[in-house]
Amino acid sequence: MKKLLSILLAVLMVFALVGCSNTTEPTEEGGETADTVKIGVCIYQFDDNFMTLFRNNIQAYFDDLNTKGGTQYEVTIVDGANDAATQTEQVNTFISQGVDALIVNLVQTSSDALAKAVEDSGIPCVFINREIADYQYSDKTCYVGADAKDSGTYQGQIIFNQPDHGDLNGDGKVSYIMIMGDPENSDAKNRTEYSIKYLEDNGVEVECLYQETGNWDQAKGQELVASALASLTDKIEVVFCNNDGMALGAFESIKNAGRTVGKDIYLVGVDALSECCEMVIDGTMTGTVLNDAIGQATACCDTVLKLLAGETIATKVNYVPYLMVTTENAAQILKDVYGK
Ligand code: GAL
């Protein structure tokens, strides 16, 4: 009887193991076993300041869970190098390896082909940071990001809140230049539109002197602003940058041209990188907007866990709020977000 029972128990254990979709591996302590969940993370480009914060926070989230014992999360993060073909190959590799979940920051949002391939694989996936316009997410997919219109609105508000509403030379209009991210990106489009819309909606006359694409890149931002300053000289009153990376570059060119932020030119960005919070405090940047990398990474990973547990996500497009950053709160943001 005893023997029969132990055979029965062994058979049951085999069934339990086979029934579990995730692999079961020994823990570091040995003896005990824990599930291993494999997560593939595709980032559009490692060489991007904000997405570096985002991916580090994704890694930190799962590292933290792993220290708690129980299910272990094996996270593999790959660099799409801003190349759609490279990213398609990376996503397909993760799919063929049979990862348990995916997190995808698309290189290209003008096509939904890759998103469709993910849907067809049936693997739960959270798309992040780059929204595909009017996309219908399935049961196992959704989006986590931020509503870029708000970040543009805050940029406009920062300029409007200056004593001269941005009209430094008092000629009755705000003459600005716009340094954009990549043109197909909804963040770039919305920030470009809504920053100016806020000024116009508040009765400010505006004049666009120059609008160019800097692809979110610091060096490119520096180059574009240098050439705008060289040709337009002191006509420029406001430099709008779609992100802080390009604003950091813009600042170098502003300095090299002998201009002074807050005195004869205004400069705004988006992201609230720690360097930029410091610049807002010392007045070398007029303001920025917190793009909450921690909040978005947390919302993304929480959603991954829910999808893995088979839960239905009711809100398919999940926006984490932005926050306007000025001299009034920059020190607080630096402390709260970066612990500085
Ligand atoms: C934006 C961010 C930029 C850049 C871009 C990439 O939300 O502000 O700095 O990271 O995403 O898609």
Side-chain angles (χ1 to χ4, degrees):
M1 185 65 181
K2 222 175 168 188
K3 200 166 172 204
L4 197 70
L5 264 180
S6 54
I7 290 172
L8 206 66
L9 204 67
V11 170
L12 276 177
M13 273 172 74
V14 168
F15 272 114
L17 282 179
V18 171
C20 178
S21 67
N22 307 319
T23 50
T24 302
E25 288 169 4
T27 58
E28 273 177 17
E29 294 82 37
E32 298 273 305
T33 56
D35 283 349
T36 299
V37 169
K38 292 197 164 80
I39 301 178
V41 184
C42 298
I43 300 296
Y44 96 95
Q45 171 158 252
F46 276 9
D47 190 13
D48 174 298
N49 313 44
F50 174 71
M51 285 315 301
T52 300
L53 291 175
F54 204 137
R55 79 182 140 97
N56 289 344
N57 281 304
I58 291 175
Q59 184 72 60
Y61 181 103
F62 289 110
D63 285 350
D64 184 50
L65 271 187
N66 287 345
T67 62
K68 298 192 170 131
T71 302
Q72 295 294 295
Y73 295 88
E74 196 182 295
V75 180
T76 309
I77 310 185
V78 294
D79 180 6
N82 205 17
D83 183 74
T86 302
Q87 186 170 66
T88 301
E89 207 179 297
Q90 291 169 335
V91 170
N92 287 334
T93 303
F94 278 139
I95 292 174
S96 64
Q97 284 169 350
V99 292
D100 298 293
L102 283 164
I103 295 172
V104 178
N105 170 212
L106 290 166
V107 167
Q108 203 176 54
T109 46
S110 56
S111 149
D112 60 12
L114 193 55
K116 289 259 160 65
V118 170
E119 309 265 358
D120 290 346
S121 76
I123 296 173
C125 175
V126 178
F127 293 95
I128 53 166
N129 172 257
R130 292 178 156 201
E131 206 176 335
I132 320 169
D134 305 320
Y135 189 73
Q136 293 299 317
Y137 294 93
S138 72
D139 282 356
K140 289 187 176 171
T141 60
C142 60
Y143 176 79
V144 170
D147 187 351
K149 296 185 200 82
D150 292 345
S151 52
T153 302
Y154 284 142
Q155 285 189 302
Q157 204 173 338
I158 291 167
I159 297 304
F160 185 76
N161 287 349
Q162 301 308 309
D164 51 16
H165 300 326
D167 182 14
L168 275 160
N169 61 17
D171 67 351
K173 59 178 191 267
V174 172
S175 304
Y176 70 91
I177 65 169
M178 182 70 69
I179 308 300
M180 293 181 66
D182 59 314
E184 76 161 39
N185 188 304
S186 62
D187 287 5
K189 287 183 197 153
N190 284 318
R191 289 173 191 167
T192 300
E193 182 183 341
Y194 281 80
S195 51
I196 302 309
K197 188 175 182 304
Y198 185 89
L199 291 174
E200 287 178 328
D201 287 352
N202 284 281
V204 176
E205 196 185 318
V206 293
E207 177 190 29
C208 180
L209 298 172
Y210 177 94
Q211 182 164 311
E212 280 297 334
T213 297
N215 275 324
W216 309 116
D217 181 65
Q218 180 167 343
K220 191 74 190 155
Q222 178 165 350
E223 187 190 311
L224 294 176
V225 174
S227 86
L229 282 165
S231 61
L232 299 157
T233 60
D234 54 5
K235 284 202 200 92
I236 305 172
E237 292 167 294
V238 182
V239 179
F240 284 99
C241 294
N242 280 175
N243 78 341
D244 277 356
M246 297 188 295
L248 285 171
F251 174 70
E252 284 307 309
S253 296
I254 288 171
K255 201 171 62 184
N256 294 341
R259 303 283 293 271
T260 311
V261 173
K263 204 168 134 244
D264 56 29
I265 198 160
Y266 292 122
L267 172 65
V268 282
V270 175
D271 282 340
L273 300 178
S274 67
E275 302 95 302
C276 294
C277 291
E278 275 158 13
M279 287 167 70
V280 172
I281 293 168
D282 71 22
T284 46
M285 231 174 119
T286 315
T288 180
V289 179
L290 175 68
N291 194 5
D292 185 357
I294 300 176
Q296 290 175 53
T298 306
C300 159
C301 299
D302 285 349
T303 309
V304 166
L305 296 186
K306 284 184 187 157
L307 288 170
L308 280 167
E311 278 182 44
T312 315
I313 310 294
T315 315
K316 288 292 171 191
V317 175
N318 182 354
Y319 289 144
V320 173
Y322 286 105
L323 192 74
M324 186 161 88
V325 181
T326 63
T327 40
E328 275 159 40
N329 62 350
Q332 194 61 46
I333 300 286
L334 205 54
K335 194 161 157 255
D336 293 350
V337 178
Y338 300 102
K340 289 190 181 175

